[in-house]
Amino acid sequence: MREMFRQFFSAITTLFRAFERGANVIDNCAKWAEIESSAFEQEASIERQKHLTLLRD
């Protein structure tokens, strides 16, 4: 009986660990996407400034 409870709680612990790792993966992907989006916005801003400078000249 004790062994059954031990295995049951061990399985639940393993399940929660896997869930936590999956959540960490999603969080890391979101961080990466945020950084890439920021870089894209900065590059687009530089391109717009360059284009406006060319139009003014």
Side-chain angles (χ1 to χ4, degrees):
M1 184 77 163
R2 287 182 186 173
E3 183 65 20
M4 181 184 73
F5 282 120
R6 188 189 69 74
Q7 288 179 349
F8 176 73
F9 287 117
S10 177
I12 289 175
T13 301
T14 303
L15 181 66
F16 281 119
R17 283 183 185 158
F19 182 75
E20 180 184 11
R21 287 181 180 161
N24 286 337
V25 167
I26 293 170
D27 186 45
N28 289 337
C29 287
K31 288 177 188 175
W32 174 79
E34 185 177 359
I35 291 168
E36 287 296 314
S37 174
S38 176
F40 174 76
E41 190 274 330
Q42 290 173 358
E43 289 173 9
S45 177
I46 291 169
E47 288 295 322
R48 284 192 299 272
Q49 291 291 335
K50 189 167 71 172
H51 186 69
L52 285 173
T53 302
L54 288 173
L55 286 174
R56 287 183 188 143
D57 293 342

